[in-house]
Amino acid sequence: MKIATYNVNGVNGRLPVLLKWLKEASPDIVCLQELKAPQERFPLNEINAAGYQAVWNGQKSWNGVAILARDMEITEVQRSLPGDPEDIQSRYIEAIINQIVVCCLYLPNGNPYPGPKFDYKLSWIRRFKRRASQLIKMELPAVLIGDFNIIPEAIDVYKPERWENDALYRVEVRKAYKELQKKGWLDSIRSLYPEEKIYTFWDYLYKAYDRNAGIRLDHILLSPYLSPYLTSGGVDSHVRGWEKSSDHAPVWIQLDAHTGHSK
């Protein structure tokens, strides 16, 4: 089973890029972030025509998350992160697909630091960690997947010394990421490539993609139940070079089997 995440940075404006990548990569499960479209403007007909079912939570102009599945039923669990009923930002959706709990997230950016946006980010992370701990305690096959807006280590960023006071790289958020790992969540891409510089985002400015001046923000974390079945993974970095592409690239992993099923 191939599971992928892709911050599309506008699902309608970049729909040709998304459909081209879906055809090329053929993932079984896909999590999308930054739909930047209200609920009723999600391109369901085009997604269905590409062979995928979908659940999504849109939001006008910004945010928005979706989960797609090919030839599998999607059972939606929840479309907001528990813990703050007043939080109306569309940043989380959770579903069960083929007995796997798929938690698609678009974690807040948090800039500028310091400030209320960074405080919101830390609050969101605390709620997210509670949900992640619940899934571990329930011993479920689960994946935390999406744009975390967290650069975990110095190896994950071009010139890390420039990022010390950026909300993506602040010590508080990197500590939270490590705490998820200590609870048992496996950073799948880093486990496959422990010493390689791997990026998932390149700014549109300063020819960042051409210079490979990137950062790793998009992650796929596996629960202890799933991590033994990880066989491969990577970043489709060439997609970032396509015309009118997102500033993120798709990230994917392959699981060879789980709970008695294989794909």
Side-chain angles (χ1 to χ4, degrees), residues 146-181:
D147 179 356
F148 281 63
N149 269 317
I150 295 175
I151 304 169
E153 303 284 350
I155 194 175
D156 298 310
V157 54
Y158 180 78
K159 295 190 176 180
E161 65 277 5
R162 297 183 177 180
W163 293 78
E164 293 293 343
N165 285 317
D166 191 285
L168 306 180
Y169 193 60
R170 279 291 307 170
V171 62
E172 297 93 335
V173 299
R174 287 189 285 141
K175 179 182 177 183
Y177 192 86
K178 288 178 182 176
E179 288 171 349
L180 285 171
Q181 293 175 286

PDB file of all heavy atoms in Angstrom, residues 146-181:
ATOM      1  N   GLY A 146       1.034  14.694   6.951  1.00  0.00           N
ATOM      2  CA  GLY A 146       0.680  15.998   6.407  1.00  0.00           C
ATOM      3  C   GLY A 146       1.804  17.006   6.503  1.00  0.00           C
ATOM      4  O   GLY A 146       2.976  16.668   6.683  1.00  0.00           O
ATOM      5  N   ASP A 147       1.408  18.269   6.403  1.00  0.00           N
ATOM      6  CA  ASP A 147       2.328  19.399   6.532  1.00  0.00           C
ATOM      7  C   ASP A 147       2.366  19.783   8.008  1.00  0.00           C
ATOM      8  O   ASP A 147       1.453  20.424   8.510  1.00  0.00           O
ATOM      9  CB  ASP A 147       1.850  20.562   5.665  1.00  0.00           C
ATOM     10  CG  ASP A 147       2.755  21.776   5.768  1.00  0.00           C
ATOM     11  OD1 ASP A 147       3.721  21.750   6.566  1.00  0.00           O
ATOM     12  OD2 ASP A 147       2.493  22.767   5.061  1.00  0.00           O
ATOM     13  N   PHE A 148       3.453  19.385   8.692  1.00  0.00           N
ATOM     14  CA  PHE A 148       3.583  19.646  10.122  1.00  0.00           C
ATOM     15  C   PHE A 148       4.070  21.064  10.413  1.00  0.00           C
ATOM     16  O   PHE A 148       4.023  21.502  11.552  1.00  0.00           O
ATOM     17  CB  PHE A 148       4.573  18.650  10.737  1.00  0.00           C
ATOM     18  CG  PHE A 148       4.020  17.286  11.017  1.00  0.00           C
ATOM     19  CD1 PHE A 148       3.557  16.476   9.994  1.00  0.00           C
ATOM     20  CD2 PHE A 148       3.980  16.796  12.315  1.00  0.00           C
ATOM     21  CE1 PHE A 148       3.065  15.206  10.249  1.00  0.00           C
ATOM     22  CE2 PHE A 148       3.486  15.522  12.584  1.00  0.00           C
ATOM     23  CZ  PHE A 148       3.030  14.723  11.546  1.00  0.00           C
ATOM     24  N   ASN A 149       4.592  21.763   9.402  1.00  0.00           N
ATOM     25  CA  ASN A 149       5.210  23.066   9.629  1.00  0.00           C
ATOM     26  C   ASN A 149       6.234  22.995  10.767  1.00  0.00           C
ATOM     27  O   ASN A 149       6.368  23.936  11.567  1.00  0.00           O
ATOM     28  CB  ASN A 149       4.149  24.133   9.908  1.00  0.00           C
ATOM     29  CG  ASN A 149       3.698  24.830   8.629  1.00  0.00           C
ATOM     30  OD1 ASN A 149       4.520  25.166   7.784  1.00  0.00           O
ATOM     31  ND2 ASN A 149       2.412  25.026   8.484  1.00  0.00           N
ATOM     32  N   ILE A 150       6.936  21.874  10.823  1.00  0.00           N
ATOM     33  CA  ILE A 150       8.025  21.679  11.786  1.00  0.00           C
ATOM     34  C   ILE A 150       9.235  21.134  11.039  1.00  0.00           C
ATOM     35  O   ILE A 150       9.134  20.146  10.300  1.00  0.00           O
ATOM     36  CB  ILE A 150       7.629  20.685  12.903  1.00  0.00           C
ATOM     37  CG1 ILE A 150       6.492  21.247  13.761  1.00  0.00           C
ATOM     38  CG2 ILE A 150       8.833  20.370  13.795  1.00  0.00           C
ATOM     39  CD1 ILE A 150       5.966  20.259  14.803  1.00  0.00           C
ATOM     40  N   ILE A 151      10.372  21.795  11.223  1.00  0.00           N
ATOM     41  CA  ILE A 151      11.655  21.307  10.722  1.00  0.00           C
ATOM     42  C   ILE A 151      12.302  20.553  11.877  1.00  0.00           C
ATOM     43  O   ILE A 151      12.752  21.168  12.840  1.00  0.00           O
ATOM     44  CB  ILE A 151      12.556  22.469  10.270  1.00  0.00           C
ATOM     45  CG1 ILE A 151      11.855  23.327   9.215  1.00  0.00           C
ATOM     46  CG2 ILE A 151      13.892  21.951   9.760  1.00  0.00           C
ATOM     47  CD1 ILE A 151      12.569  24.645   8.922  1.00  0.00           C
ATOM     48  N   PRO A 152      12.361  19.214  11.828  1.00  0.00           N
ATOM     49  CA  PRO A 152      12.773  18.458  13.019  1.00  0.00           C
ATOM     50  C   PRO A 152      14.227  18.656  13.449  1.00  0.00           C
ATOM     51  O   PRO A 152      14.515  18.776  14.639  1.00  0.00           O
ATOM     52  CB  PRO A 152      12.531  17.001  12.616  1.00  0.00           C
ATOM     53  CG  PRO A 152      11.528  17.070  11.508  1.00  0.00           C
ATOM     54  CD  PRO A 152      11.852  18.335  10.778  1.00  0.00           C
ATOM     55  N   GLU A 153      15.162  18.676  12.478  1.00  0.00           N
ATOM     56  CA  GLU A 153      16.591  18.692  12.810  1.00  0.00           C
ATOM     57  C   GLU A 153      17.338  19.625  11.871  1.00  0.00           C
ATOM     58  O   GLU A 153      16.823  20.034  10.832  1.00  0.00           O
ATOM     59  CB  GLU A 153      17.176  17.278  12.697  1.00  0.00           C
ATOM     60  CG  GLU A 153      16.502  16.219  13.548  1.00  0.00           C
ATOM     61  CD  GLU A 153      16.893  16.318  15.016  1.00  0.00           C
ATOM     62  OE1 GLU A 153      17.828  17.093  15.333  1.00  0.00           O
ATOM     63  OE2 GLU A 153      16.268  15.629  15.836  1.00  0.00           O
ATOM     64  N   ALA A 154      18.597  19.905  12.219  1.00  0.00           N
ATOM     65  CA  ALA A 154      19.426  20.766  11.376  1.00  0.00           C
ATOM     66  C   ALA A 154      19.606  20.186   9.976  1.00  0.00           C
ATOM     67  O   ALA A 154      19.697  20.920   8.989  1.00  0.00           O
ATOM     68  CB  ALA A 154      20.787  20.985  12.038  1.00  0.00           C
ATOM     69  N   ILE A 155      19.635  18.858   9.875  1.00  0.00           N
ATOM     70  CA  ILE A 155      19.813  18.213   8.576  1.00  0.00           C
ATOM     71  C   ILE A 155      18.628  18.468   7.650  1.00  0.00           C
ATOM     72  O   ILE A 155      18.729  18.311   6.428  1.00  0.00           O
ATOM     73  CB  ILE A 155      20.029  16.690   8.769  1.00  0.00           C
ATOM     74  CG1 ILE A 155      20.560  16.049   7.483  1.00  0.00           C
ATOM     75  CG2 ILE A 155      18.761  16.019   9.254  1.00  0.00           C
ATOM     76  CD1 ILE A 155      20.912  14.587   7.630  1.00  0.00           C
ATOM     77  N   ASP A 156      17.511  18.903   8.233  1.00  0.00           N
ATOM     78  CA  ASP A 156      16.273  19.082   7.476  1.00  0.00           C
ATOM     79  C   ASP A 156      16.093  20.495   6.933  1.00  0.00           C
ATOM     80  O   ASP A 156      14.998  20.824   6.454  1.00  0.00           O
ATOM     81  CB  ASP A 156      15.068  18.740   8.364  1.00  0.00           C
ATOM     82  CG  ASP A 156      15.088  17.292   8.818  1.00  0.00           C
ATOM     83  OD1 ASP A 156      15.259  16.400   7.966  1.00  0.00           O
ATOM     84  OD2 ASP A 156      14.946  17.041  10.037  1.00  0.00           O
ATOM     85  N   VAL A 157      17.128  21.296   6.985  1.00  0.00           N
ATOM     86  CA  VAL A 157      16.986  22.682   6.527  1.00  0.00           C
ATOM     87  C   VAL A 157      18.302  23.183   5.943  1.00  0.00           C
ATOM     88  O   VAL A 157      19.383  22.911   6.470  1.00  0.00           O
ATOM     89  CB  VAL A 157      16.515  23.605   7.682  1.00  0.00           C
ATOM     90  CG1 VAL A 157      17.424  23.503   8.897  1.00  0.00           C
ATOM     91  CG2 VAL A 157      16.402  25.053   7.231  1.00  0.00           C
ATOM     92  N   TYR A 158      18.183  23.914   4.843  1.00  0.00           N
ATOM     93  CA  TYR A 158      19.327  24.557   4.221  1.00  0.00           C
ATOM     94  C   TYR A 158      19.726  25.762   5.077  1.00  0.00           C
ATOM     95  O   TYR A 158      18.900  26.621   5.355  1.00  0.00           O
ATOM     96  CB  TYR A 158      18.939  25.008   2.809  1.00  0.00           C
ATOM     97  CG  TYR A 158      20.027  25.709   2.026  1.00  0.00           C
ATOM     98  CD1 TYR A 158      21.041  24.994   1.421  1.00  0.00           C
ATOM     99  CD2 TYR A 158      20.002  27.090   1.886  1.00  0.00           C
ATOM    100  CE1 TYR A 158      22.021  25.634   0.680  1.00  0.00           C
ATOM    101  CE2 TYR A 158      20.978  27.748   1.152  1.00  0.00           C
ATOM    102  CZ  TYR A 158      21.991  27.007   0.557  1.00  0.00           C
ATOM    103  OH  TYR A 158      22.971  27.656  -0.170  1.00  0.00           O
ATOM    104  N   LYS A 159      20.949  25.783   5.525  1.00  0.00           N
ATOM    105  CA  LYS A 159      21.483  26.842   6.388  1.00  0.00           C
ATOM    106  C   LYS A 159      20.636  27.024   7.657  1.00  0.00           C
ATOM    107  O   LYS A 159      19.960  28.051   7.836  1.00  0.00           O
ATOM    108  CB  LYS A 159      21.620  28.159   5.621  1.00  0.00           C
ATOM    109  CG  LYS A 159      22.649  28.070   4.494  1.00  0.00           C
ATOM    110  CD  LYS A 159      22.970  29.424   3.889  1.00  0.00           C
ATOM    111  CE  LYS A 159      24.079  29.291   2.847  1.00  0.00           C
ATOM    112  NZ  LYS A 159      24.431  30.581   2.224  1.00  0.00           N
ATOM    113  N   PRO A 160      20.663  26.050   8.554  1.00  0.00           N
ATOM    114  CA  PRO A 160      19.816  26.089   9.757  1.00  0.00           C
ATOM    115  C   PRO A 160      20.060  27.286  10.661  1.00  0.00           C
ATOM    116  O   PRO A 160      19.155  27.711  11.381  1.00  0.00           O
ATOM    117  CB  PRO A 160      20.171  24.779  10.477  1.00  0.00           C
ATOM    118  CG  PRO A 160      21.479  24.354   9.908  1.00  0.00           C
ATOM    119  CD  PRO A 160      21.493  24.832   8.498  1.00  0.00           C
ATOM    120  N   GLU A 161      21.259  27.850  10.619  1.00  0.00           N
ATOM    121  CA  GLU A 161      21.564  28.980  11.494  1.00  0.00           C
ATOM    122  C   GLU A 161      20.673  30.188  11.206  1.00  0.00           C
ATOM    123  O   GLU A 161      20.495  31.058  12.069  1.00  0.00           O
ATOM    124  CB  GLU A 161      23.042  29.383  11.352  1.00  0.00           C
ATOM    125  CG  GLU A 161      23.462  29.913   9.991  1.00  0.00           C
ATOM    126  CD  GLU A 161      23.797  28.837   8.967  1.00  0.00           C
ATOM    127  OE1 GLU A 161      23.623  27.631   9.274  1.00  0.00           O
ATOM    128  OE2 GLU A 161      24.252  29.206   7.860  1.00  0.00           O
ATOM    129  N   ARG A 162      20.064  30.236  10.034  1.00  0.00           N
ATOM    130  CA  ARG A 162      19.182  31.349   9.683  1.00  0.00           C
ATOM    131  C   ARG A 162      17.756  31.161  10.222  1.00  0.00           C
ATOM    132  O   ARG A 162      16.923  32.062  10.084  1.00  0.00           O
ATOM    133  CB  ARG A 162      19.117  31.502   8.164  1.00  0.00           C
ATOM    134  CG  ARG A 162      20.455  31.862   7.521  1.00  0.00           C
ATOM    135  CD  ARG A 162      20.292  32.059   6.030  1.00  0.00           C
ATOM    136  NE  ARG A 162      21.535  32.466   5.377  1.00  0.00           N
ATOM    137  CZ  ARG A 162      21.661  32.695   4.071  1.00  0.00           C
ATOM    138  NH1 ARG A 162      20.602  32.573   3.285  1.00  0.00           N
ATOM    139  NH2 ARG A 162      22.823  33.049   3.556  1.00  0.00           N
ATOM    140  N   TRP A 163      17.473  30.024  10.819  1.00  0.00           N
ATOM    141  CA  TRP A 163      16.103  29.671  11.170  1.00  0.00           C
ATOM    142  C   TRP A 163      15.854  29.608  12.673  1.00  0.00           C
ATOM    143  O   TRP A 163      14.756  29.220  13.097  1.00  0.00           O
ATOM    144  CB  TRP A 163      15.742  28.322  10.541  1.00  0.00           C
ATOM    145  CG  TRP A 163      15.672  28.373   9.053  1.00  0.00           C
ATOM    146  CD1 TRP A 163      16.720  28.370   8.166  1.00  0.00           C
ATOM    147  CD2 TRP A 163      14.490  28.449   8.257  1.00  0.00           C
ATOM    148  NE1 TRP A 163      16.265  28.439   6.873  1.00  0.00           N
ATOM    149  CE2 TRP A 163      14.898  28.494   6.902  1.00  0.00           C
ATOM    150  CE3 TRP A 163      13.129  28.481   8.560  1.00  0.00           C
ATOM    151  CZ2 TRP A 163      13.978  28.569   5.851  1.00  0.00           C
ATOM    152  CZ3 TRP A 163      12.217  28.544   7.509  1.00  0.00           C
ATOM    153  CH2 TRP A 163      12.648  28.590   6.181  1.00  0.00           C
ATOM    154  N   GLU A 164      16.827  29.972  13.485  1.00  0.00           N
ATOM    155  CA  GLU A 164      16.723  29.770  14.928  1.00  0.00           C
ATOM    156  C   GLU A 164      15.477  30.406  15.547  1.00  0.00           C
ATOM    157  O   GLU A 164      14.882  29.855  16.476  1.00  0.00           O
ATOM    158  CB  GLU A 164      17.979  30.309  15.630  1.00  0.00           C
ATOM    159  CG  GLU A 164      19.250  29.519  15.315  1.00  0.00           C
ATOM    160  CD  GLU A 164      19.231  28.102  15.870  1.00  0.00           C
ATOM    161  OE1 GLU A 164      18.408  27.812  16.765  1.00  0.00           O
ATOM    162  OE2 GLU A 164      20.028  27.272  15.400  1.00  0.00           O
ATOM    163  N   ASN A 165      15.069  31.565  15.053  1.00  0.00           N
ATOM    164  CA  ASN A 165      13.904  32.248  15.611  1.00  0.00           C
ATOM    165  C   ASN A 165      12.700  32.223  14.682  1.00  0.00           C
ATOM    166  O   ASN A 165      11.790  33.052  14.799  1.00  0.00           O
ATOM    167  CB  ASN A 165      14.259  33.689  15.977  1.00  0.00           C
ATOM    168  CG  ASN A 165      15.089  33.759  17.248  1.00  0.00           C
ATOM    169  OD1 ASN A 165      14.792  33.063  18.218  1.00  0.00           O
ATOM    170  ND2 ASN A 165      16.130  34.562  17.242  1.00  0.00           N
ATOM    171  N   ASP A 166      12.705  31.257  13.779  1.00  0.00           N
ATOM    172  CA  ASP A 166      11.545  31.035  12.921  1.00  0.00           C
ATOM    173  C   ASP A 166      10.638  30.005  13.592  1.00  0.00           C
ATOM    174  O   ASP A 166      11.111  29.032  14.182  1.00  0.00           O
ATOM    175  CB  ASP A 166      11.985  30.533  11.548  1.00  0.00           C
ATOM    176  CG  ASP A 166      10.844  30.540  10.542  1.00  0.00           C
ATOM    177  OD1 ASP A 166       9.973  29.643  10.634  1.00  0.00           O
ATOM    178  OD2 ASP A 166      10.822  31.418   9.667  1.00  0.00           O
ATOM    179  N   ALA A 167       9.335  30.221  13.514  1.00  0.00           N
ATOM    180  CA  ALA A 167       8.380  29.335  14.192  1.00  0.00           C
ATOM    181  C   ALA A 167       8.440  27.891  13.684  1.00  0.00           C
ATOM    182  O   ALA A 167       7.991  26.976  14.370  1.00  0.00           O
ATOM    183  CB  ALA A 167       6.957  29.871  14.030  1.00  0.00           C
ATOM    184  N   LEU A 168       8.988  27.683  12.496  1.00  0.00           N
ATOM    185  CA  LEU A 168       9.113  26.323  11.964  1.00  0.00           C
ATOM    186  C   LEU A 168      10.243  25.539  12.627  1.00  0.00           C
ATOM    187  O   LEU A 168      10.232  24.301  12.607  1.00  0.00           O
ATOM    188  CB  LEU A 168       9.376  26.359  10.449  1.00  0.00           C
ATOM    189  CG  LEU A 168       8.390  27.136   9.582  1.00  0.00           C
ATOM    190  CD1 LEU A 168       8.814  27.058   8.124  1.00  0.00           C
ATOM    191  CD2 LEU A 168       6.973  26.604   9.747  1.00  0.00           C
ATOM    192  N   TYR A 169      11.186  26.268  13.210  1.00  0.00           N
ATOM    193  CA  TYR A 169      12.406  25.626  13.710  1.00  0.00           C
ATOM    194  C   TYR A 169      12.682  25.947  15.175  1.00  0.00           C
ATOM    195  O   TYR A 169      13.714  25.557  15.720  1.00  0.00           O
ATOM    196  CB  TYR A 169      13.591  26.083  12.839  1.00  0.00           C
ATOM    197  CG  TYR A 169      14.868  25.301  13.015  1.00  0.00           C
ATOM    198  CD1 TYR A 169      14.919  23.937  12.759  1.00  0.00           C
ATOM    199  CD2 TYR A 169      16.047  25.948  13.415  1.00  0.00           C
ATOM    200  CE1 TYR A 169      16.107  23.226  12.903  1.00  0.00           C
ATOM    201  CE2 TYR A 169      17.238  25.244  13.553  1.00  0.00           C
ATOM    202  CZ  TYR A 169      17.257  23.885  13.297  1.00  0.00           C
ATOM    203  OH  TYR A 169      18.433  23.185  13.439  1.00  0.00           O
ATOM    204  N   ARG A 170      11.766  26.655  15.813  1.00  0.00           N
ATOM    205  CA  ARG A 170      11.962  27.000  17.220  1.00  0.00           C
ATOM    206  C   ARG A 170      12.137  25.737  18.066  1.00  0.00           C
ATOM    207  O   ARG A 170      11.569  24.680  17.776  1.00  0.00           O
ATOM    208  CB  ARG A 170      10.774  27.798  17.744  1.00  0.00           C
ATOM    209  CG  ARG A 170      10.822  29.276  17.391  1.00  0.00           C
ATOM    210  CD  ARG A 170      11.927  30.006  18.119  1.00  0.00           C
ATOM    211  NE  ARG A 170      11.878  29.808  19.565  1.00  0.00           N
ATOM    212  CZ  ARG A 170      12.825  30.171  20.409  1.00  0.00           C
ATOM    213  NH1 ARG A 170      13.933  30.730  19.965  1.00  0.00           N
ATOM    214  NH2 ARG A 170      12.675  29.966  21.707  1.00  0.00           N
ATOM    215  N   VAL A 171      12.920  25.863  19.110  1.00  0.00           N
ATOM    216  CA  VAL A 171      13.230  24.724  19.954  1.00  0.00           C
ATOM    217  C   VAL A 171      11.962  24.090  20.533  1.00  0.00           C
ATOM    218  O   VAL A 171      11.893  22.862  20.709  1.00  0.00           O
ATOM    219  CB  VAL A 171      14.206  25.141  21.076  1.00  0.00           C
ATOM    220  CG1 VAL A 171      13.587  26.204  21.979  1.00  0.00           C
ATOM    221  CG2 VAL A 171      14.658  23.948  21.890  1.00  0.00           C
ATOM    222  N   GLU A 172      10.930  24.896  20.779  1.00  0.00           N
ATOM    223  CA  GLU A 172       9.699  24.361  21.361  1.00  0.00           C
ATOM    224  C   GLU A 172       9.013  23.360  20.429  1.00  0.00           C
ATOM    225  O   GLU A 172       8.516  22.320  20.879  1.00  0.00           O
ATOM    226  CB  GLU A 172       8.712  25.499  21.678  1.00  0.00           C
ATOM    227  CG  GLU A 172       9.200  26.487  22.719  1.00  0.00           C
ATOM    228  CD  GLU A 172       9.905  27.689  22.122  1.00  0.00           C
ATOM    229  OE1 GLU A 172      10.453  27.573  20.988  1.00  0.00           O
ATOM    230  OE2 GLU A 172       9.913  28.752  22.767  1.00  0.00           O
ATOM    231  N   VAL A 173       8.970  23.687  19.140  1.00  0.00           N
ATOM    232  CA  VAL A 173       8.265  22.798  18.214  1.00  0.00           C
ATOM    233  C   VAL A 173       9.115  21.577  17.885  1.00  0.00           C
ATOM    234  O   VAL A 173       8.589  20.470  17.691  1.00  0.00           O
ATOM    235  CB  VAL A 173       7.827  23.541  16.932  1.00  0.00           C
ATOM    236  CG1 VAL A 173       6.875  24.679  17.290  1.00  0.00           C
ATOM    237  CG2 VAL A 173       9.001  24.076  16.148  1.00  0.00           C
ATOM    238  N   ARG A 174      10.419  21.743  17.819  1.00  0.00           N
ATOM    239  CA  ARG A 174      11.286  20.582  17.575  1.00  0.00           C
ATOM    240  C   ARG A 174      11.235  19.619  18.761  1.00  0.00           C
ATOM    241  O   ARG A 174      11.260  18.394  18.589  1.00  0.00           O
ATOM    242  CB  ARG A 174      12.715  21.035  17.310  1.00  0.00           C
ATOM    243  CG  ARG A 174      12.880  21.682  15.937  1.00  0.00           C
ATOM    244  CD  ARG A 174      14.318  21.923  15.594  1.00  0.00           C
ATOM    245  NE  ARG A 174      14.874  23.052  16.315  1.00  0.00           N
ATOM    246  CZ  ARG A 174      16.100  23.096  16.815  1.00  0.00           C
ATOM    247  NH1 ARG A 174      16.901  22.051  16.714  1.00  0.00           N
ATOM    248  NH2 ARG A 174      16.528  24.176  17.436  1.00  0.00           N
ATOM    249  N   LYS A 175      11.129  20.162  19.957  1.00  0.00           N
ATOM    250  CA  LYS A 175      10.994  19.307  21.142  1.00  0.00           C
ATOM    251  C   LYS A 175       9.697  18.513  21.081  1.00  0.00           C
ATOM    252  O   LYS A 175       9.666  17.310  21.401  1.00  0.00           O
ATOM    253  CB  LYS A 175      11.019  20.174  22.402  1.00  0.00           C
ATOM    254  CG  LYS A 175      10.872  19.378  23.693  1.00  0.00           C
ATOM    255  CD  LYS A 175      10.849  20.302  24.913  1.00  0.00           C
ATOM    256  CE  LYS A 175      10.629  19.504  26.201  1.00  0.00           C
ATOM    257  NZ  LYS A 175      10.521  20.380  27.394  1.00  0.00           N
ATOM    258  N   ALA A 176       8.614  19.162  20.674  1.00  0.00           N
ATOM    259  CA  ALA A 176       7.326  18.476  20.571  1.00  0.00           C
ATOM    260  C   ALA A 176       7.395  17.339  19.557  1.00  0.00           C
ATOM    261  O   ALA A 176       6.821  16.257  19.775  1.00  0.00           O
ATOM    262  CB  ALA A 176       6.232  19.474  20.185  1.00  0.00           C
ATOM    263  N   TYR A 177       8.083  17.568  18.457  1.00  0.00           N
ATOM    264  CA  TYR A 177       8.230  16.528  17.435  1.00  0.00           C
ATOM    265  C   TYR A 177       9.002  15.333  17.996  1.00  0.00           C
ATOM    266  O   TYR A 177       8.620  14.174  17.786  1.00  0.00           O
ATOM    267  CB  TYR A 177       8.950  17.113  16.218  1.00  0.00           C
ATOM    268  CG  TYR A 177       8.907  16.240  14.986  1.00  0.00           C
ATOM    269  CD1 TYR A 177       7.843  16.310  14.110  1.00  0.00           C
ATOM    270  CD2 TYR A 177       9.938  15.351  14.694  1.00  0.00           C
ATOM    271  CE1 TYR A 177       7.795  15.527  12.966  1.00  0.00           C
ATOM    272  CE2 TYR A 177       9.904  14.558  13.554  1.00  0.00           C
ATOM    273  CZ  TYR A 177       8.829  14.657  12.705  1.00  0.00           C
ATOM    274  OH  TYR A 177       8.782  13.869  11.572  1.00  0.00           O
ATOM    275  N   LYS A 178      10.063  15.602  18.735  1.00  0.00           N
ATOM    276  CA  LYS A 178      10.842  14.524  19.349  1.00  0.00           C
ATOM    277  C   LYS A 178      10.011  13.763  20.374  1.00  0.00           C
ATOM    278  O   LYS A 178      10.162  12.538  20.518  1.00  0.00           O
ATOM    279  CB  LYS A 178      12.094  15.103  20.017  1.00  0.00           C
ATOM    280  CG  LYS A 178      13.147  15.580  19.029  1.00  0.00           C
ATOM    281  CD  LYS A 178      14.344  16.180  19.748  1.00  0.00           C
ATOM    282  CE  LYS A 178      15.382  16.695  18.754  1.00  0.00           C
ATOM    283  NZ  LYS A 178      16.518  17.364  19.433  1.00  0.00           N
ATOM    284  N   GLU A 179       9.130  14.461  21.067  1.00  0.00           N
ATOM    285  CA  GLU A 179       8.281  13.792  22.051  1.00  0.00           C
ATOM    286  C   GLU A 179       7.315  12.824  21.386  1.00  0.00           C
ATOM    287  O   GLU A 179       7.001  11.763  21.933  1.00  0.00           O
ATOM    288  CB  GLU A 179       7.530  14.836  22.881  1.00  0.00           C
ATOM    289  CG  GLU A 179       8.441  15.575  23.861  1.00  0.00           C
ATOM    290  CD  GLU A 179       7.761  16.762  24.528  1.00  0.00           C
ATOM    291  OE1 GLU A 179       6.647  17.131  24.080  1.00  0.00           O
ATOM    292  OE2 GLU A 179       8.341  17.323  25.474  1.00  0.00           O
ATOM    293  N   LEU A 180       6.832  13.167  20.194  1.00  0.00           N
ATOM    294  CA  LEU A 180       6.005  12.233  19.437  1.00  0.00           C
ATOM    295  C   LEU A 180       6.789  10.961  19.117  1.00  0.00           C
ATOM    296  O   LEU A 180       6.274   9.844  19.247  1.00  0.00           O
ATOM    297  CB  LEU A 180       5.518  12.873  18.137  1.00  0.00           C
ATOM    298  CG  LEU A 180       4.404  13.909  18.235  1.00  0.00           C
ATOM    299  CD1 LEU A 180       4.214  14.593  16.887  1.00  0.00           C
ATOM    300  CD2 LEU A 180       3.094  13.265  18.681  1.00  0.00           C
ATOM    301  N   GLN A 181       8.040  11.146  18.718  1.00  0.00           N
ATOM    302  CA  GLN A 181       8.880   9.993  18.394  1.00  0.00           C
ATOM    303  C   GLN A 181       9.141   9.133  19.633  1.00  0.00           C
ATOM    304  O   GLN A 181       9.133   7.899  19.558  1.00  0.00           O
ATOM    305  CB  GLN A 181      10.188  10.463  17.773  1.00  0.00           C
ATOM    306  CG  GLN A 181      10.011  11.120  16.401  1.00  0.00           C
ATOM    307  CD  GLN A 181      11.306  11.698  15.856  1.00  0.00           C
ATOM    308  OE1 GLN A 181      11.783  12.728  16.313  1.00  0.00           O
ATOM    309  NE2 GLN A 181      11.886  11.016  14.892  1.00  0.00           N
TER     310      GLN A 181
END
